[in-house]
């Protein structure tokens, strides 16, 4: 278990996104500016740098650098940093795979506002990866994630189609599958 990671506090949870704009801002920030901000102690910039080093947004995967920046961001109690650290643990990048610890970090990051971590936790609960399978608990996380992630739309469609964790609603399932397919999810096509 990663001991230094606690629930997001005021400093890390608000650092960056609320002050500088939406998550898309971070994804488009030039690497040089991102590094400057990360070295200056900005937890959200450190999380974005960790994500890029983890291979996110088409960047080369550098697990040791990803872990370094994710730990630094998580120590500042930044929800995004905890989410990236959870992702590294879930994928076994830079440290041994540990799905139970990844789920714990995703829960903390989701509570701190990370939509990606919430979706990742919802997916883990849906399939029972690192946590007990609990589709009813996965549904609210998938619903939130469906605003941003095609795979969340597809999983939520399955829930509606089969009545797992929600009332059966095949019309809602079809609408979600169409949205997911339009957004690029091949399983929904």
């Amino acid at each position: 278990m990663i001991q230094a990671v606690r629930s997001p506090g005021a400093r890390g949870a608000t650092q960056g996104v609320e002050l500088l704009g939406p998550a898309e801002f971070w994804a488009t920030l030039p690497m040089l500016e991102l590094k400057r901000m990360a070295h200056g102690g900005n937890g959200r910039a450190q999380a974005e740098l960790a994500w890029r080093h983890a291979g996110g947004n088409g960047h080369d995967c550098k697990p040791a650098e990803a872990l370094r920046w994710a730990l630094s961001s998580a120590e500042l109690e930044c929800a995004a940093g905890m989410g990236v650290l959870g992702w590294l643990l879930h994928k076994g990048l830079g440290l041994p795979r540990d799905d139970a610890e990844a789920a714990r970090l995703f829960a903390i990051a989701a509570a701190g506002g990370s939509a990606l971590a919430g979706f990742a936790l919802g997916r883990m609960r849906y399939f029972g990866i690192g946590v007990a399978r609990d589709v009813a608990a996965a549904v609210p996380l998938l619903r939130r994630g469906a605003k941003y992630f095609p795979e969340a739309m597809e999983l939520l469609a399955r829930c509606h189609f089969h009545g797992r964790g929600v009332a059966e609603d095949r019309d809602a399932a079809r609408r979600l599958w169409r949205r997911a397919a339009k957004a690029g999810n091949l399983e929904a096509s």
Side-chain angles (χ1 to χ4, degrees), residues 126 139 141-164 166-189:
Y126 181 89
V139 166
L141 296 164
L142 294 173
R143 188 172 286 125
R144 182 174 163 218
K147 295 175 185 174
Y148 309 101
F149 309 108
E151 187 183 354
M153 292 176 209
E154 196 274 329
L155 290 176
L156 188 57
R158 288 188 206 182
C159 293
H160 281 288
F161 190 82
H162 298 290
R164 294 186 188 133
V166 293
E168 184 178 302
D169 184 344
R170 296 198 170 184
D171 289 333
R174 287 182 192 96
R175 284 190 302 274
L176 283 162
W177 274 321
R178 280 193 295 273
R179 278 181 50 212
K182 189 175 181 180
N185 184 286
L186 298 178
E187 289 184 36
S189 337

Side-chain angles (χ1 to χ4, degrees), residues 74-143:
E75 286 173 2
L76 292 174
E77 300 179 2
C78 176
M82 291 182 204
V84 175
L85 187 55
W87 181 256
L88 295 174
L89 281 162
H90 175 58
K91 294 297 184 180
L93 293 173
L95 63 174
R97 183 174 177 158
D98 185 342
D99 286 327
E101 180 65 2
R104 185 184 80 79
L105 289 171
F106 286 148
I108 293 169
S114 171
L116 179 59
F119 162 56
L121 179 61
R123 186 180 180 285
M124 293 177 90
R125 286 183 175 164
Y126 181 89
F127 289 110
I129 300 169
V131 294
R133 184 166 194 234
D134 186 348
V135 177
V139 166
L141 296 164
L142 294 173
R143 188 172 286 125

